Amino acid sequence: MVHYSILASALLSVAAAQSLGKGKEVHPKLTTYECTKQGGCKAQDSYIVLDAAIHSIHQKNDTTRGCGNWGSGADPAVCPDEKTCAKNCILDPISNYHDYGIFTNGASLRMDFYGKDKKFQSPRAYLLGKAEKDYEMLKLTGKEFTFDVDVSKLPCGMNGALYLSEMRADGGRSNLNPGGASVGTGYCDAQCFVTPWVNGVGNIDGSGVCCNEMDIWEANSRSTQIAPHTCSKPSLFKCQGAECGANGLCDKNGCGKNSYRNNAKDFYGLGLKIDTKKPFTVVTQFPAKNGVLQSIERKYVQNGIVFEDQPKNITLNDATCAASGADTFMKLGAMKGMGDALSRGMVLAMSVWWDEGGFMQWLDGGEAGPCDATEGDPKNIVKVQPAPSTTFSNIKWGEIGSTFKGKNQWTA
């Protein structure tokens, strides 16, 4: 799988370690649900926080200059060391998330690709717990995770993603990073990108930033993929050189399942069995035996009918991952390794983005989907949909079988 960094082309001068600017971060409230079979689903207050790099981050004495670059780490001129970097760099809190394309209403989160005055945003956000201080840590081994989604405004080339990252609960809060999770610091994933910071502290040596990643949902209205990505170490860690690469410490491609790629071409899409013109429910189950993750299973619910993912005979487990050539996934821990991360706890991340370099062909073109070679070009996307957007709602997690209802229907 080809992944992304927060669109490096738009963020060439962003955060390293930082002090907090004036003002208050005002997190949008989002209702989420924890469920049991016996007690049903109980509502709770959660909150949304935008990634630190979406915030305005600038040098202390010059608001027009940033503190580092994607791909090369912190700027040595202002960040010769972590402590100096924290003194020289300011992260300004966000008081109005609407300006950045983030809207919540009860249990619904809408993410617009463009923000205020049609400004390019491509937001990425995380789920905070009720205290608005630390990330909500989801522990899903032996559990299930369910949400409703509307992808009708995501044409070829777009990706409305919902996934789990083994970030630290506090976002790397420290004396040099006082905001931590409350201002969206501490991001990592299995792609091990070099970012200007690590856990909110200046990335002085330009390390890659790695952690286990579970891509629950990468999708537009034409195609979708689910893929776990394992790493050889727990939690967030740094890498250098070859350690960050394709044969390094994390599985870049993942063990993926895409219905279209597996010849179920009439299952998911516009007007198909899962009709992406309308909202639907996505259920992801993580069955375990003796605490060890056995497989990852997908169901959909639309119009009160429960659909098994297609092809029905392909379930993500060690046998199918090995058979499909997901060698790095298998070598770096396989299902057990992914389950270990899910048991330790992972952070829910949600984003909407496009792929300027590859036009999202890995998701929806060629063998992966019905989109042609140029439909995913951003210049063409905006002709089809000038305001790309996705909505995630009714986010639930709990015991398997507790988060959704519907009448079963076998779809061949």
Side-chain angles (χ1 to χ4, degrees):
M1 181 194 74
V2 178
H3 212 56
Y4 75 119
S5 59
I6 304 181
L7 294 165
S9 61
L11 294 168
L12 293 179
S13 295
V14 289
Q18 69 275 313
S19 302
L20 293 177
K22 296 180 180 179
K24 181 182 179 182
E25 187 89 9
V26 181
H27 302 119
K29 184 185 292 187
L30 181 70
T31 301
T32 60
Y33 302 86
E34 285 200 66
C35 307
T36 62
K37 288 183 178 180
Q38 183 175 358
C41 294
K42 295 183 179 180
Q44 60 187 10
D45 289 338
S46 298
Y47 293 86
I48 296 297
V49 61
L50 279 163
D51 184 274
I54 304 294
H55 292 65
S56 173
I57 303 165
H58 52 83
Q59 294 181 23
K60 184 175 182 179
N61 297 317
D62 188 347
T63 59
T64 68
R65 298 173 67 94
C67 295
N69 296 312
W70 279 92
S72 59
D75 181 352
V78 291
C79 293
D81 58 72
E82 293 177 350
K83 189 174 182 180
T84 303
C85 193
K87 291 180 179 179
N88 287 340
C89 298
I90 304 296
L91 181 150
D92 290 333
I94 295 175
S95 60
N96 188 350
Y97 270 53
H98 290 182
D99 292 348
Y100 298 81
I102 299 295
F103 300 84
T104 61
N105 182 12
S108 176
L109 165 65
R110 192 182 91 219
M111 304 184 74
D112 293 346
F113 186 70
Y114 293 107
K116 184 180 180 182
D117 299 325
K118 297 184 178 180
K119 183 179 179 181
F120 178 94
Q121 292 295 346
S122 186
R124 180 167 69 204
Y126 313 118
L127 190 67
L128 284 175
K130 62 182 179 180
E132 300 183 63
K133 182 180 180 181
D134 293 340
Y135 297 124
E136 182 77 57
M137 299 302 287
L138 299 179
K139 299 180 178 181
L140 295 179
T141 301
K143 304 289 182 66
E144 71 184 15
F145 182 92
T146 294
F147 61 96
D148 296 345
V149 67
D150 185 341
V151 295
S152 62
K153 293 185 177 180
L154 295 179
C156 293
M158 292 301 303
N159 190 337
L162 182 150
Y163 59 106
L164 300 169
S165 168
E166 198 180 354
M167 299 155 65
R168 284 175 44 178
D170 64 0
R173 185 178 293 107
S174 67
N175 290 336
L176 300 183
N177 175 27
S182 69
V183 291
T185 64
Y187 181 73
C188 56
D189 62 29
Q191 306 308 313
C192 299
F193 292 116
V194 177
T195 63
W197 69 96
V198 180
N199 267 336
V201 176
N203 191 356
I204 306 303
D205 58 3
S207 296
V209 187
C210 310
C211 66
N212 287 286
E213 173 187 351
M214 176 63 230
D215 291 337
I216 290 177
W217 184 250
E218 293 193 279
N220 53 41
S221 61
R222 310 303 299 281
S223 190
T224 182
Q225 174 176 281
I226 179 172
H229 300 257
T230 47
C231 294
S232 61
K233 298 180 181 181
S235 193
L236 181 150
F237 61 93
K238 299 195 291 185
C239 66
Q240 288 282 347
E243 294 178 333
C244 309
N247 297 312
L249 301 178
C250 288
D251 168 30
K252 303 295 187 286
N253 292 326
C255 174
K257 181 180 180 183
N258 172 321
S259 294
Y260 190 98
R261 187 186 296 276
N262 288 293
N263 294 315
K265 298 181 179 181
D266 63 347
F267 179 64
Y268 176 97
L270 300 171
L272 301 182
K273 291 176 181 176
I274 302 302
D275 184 2
T276 57
K277 294 179 182 178
K278 302 177 291 184
F280 52 91
T281 301
V282 181
V283 181
T284 309
Q285 298 175 327
F286 301 93
K289 183 178 181 179
N290 298 324
V292 177
L293 180 66
Q294 300 297 298
S295 62
I296 301 171
E297 300 177 6
R298 165 62 46 79
K299 302 178 189 295
Y300 296 92
V301 185
Q302 192 172 45
N303 299 324
I305 305 298
V306 179
F307 297 85
E308 297 289 341
D309 194 19
Q310 298 299 303
K312 189 179 179 182
N313 64 338
I314 297 179
T315 297
L316 284 180
N317 55 31
D318 283 346
T320 55
C321 290
S324 68
D327 297 337
T328 306
F329 172 79
M330 296 300 295
K331 181 179 72 173
L332 295 178
M335 283 293 161
K336 182 182 184 303
M338 191 73 255
D340 288 347
L342 288 166
S343 294
R344 288 188 294 266
M346 302 180 78
V347 175
L348 179 64
M350 293 162 284
S351 65
V352 56
W353 59 286
W354 62 27
D355 178 7
E356 295 180 0
F359 300 169
M360 213 70 73
Q361 284 283 290
W362 61 268
L363 176 65
D364 60 24
E367 294 181 353
C371 302
D372 70 27
T374 62
E375 283 181 280
D377 184 333
K379 294 191 296 292
N380 294 325
I381 290 174
V382 295
K383 295 176 184 178
V384 176
Q385 177 51 261
S389 178
T390 191
T391 299
F392 299 110
S393 56
N394 296 315
I395 294 171
K396 304 174 183 178
W397 61 91
E399 292 180 281
I400 289 178
S402 69
T403 67
F404 70 100
K405 296 178 181 179
K407 181 181 179 181
N408 290 324
Q409 178 171 322
W410 182 73
T411 55

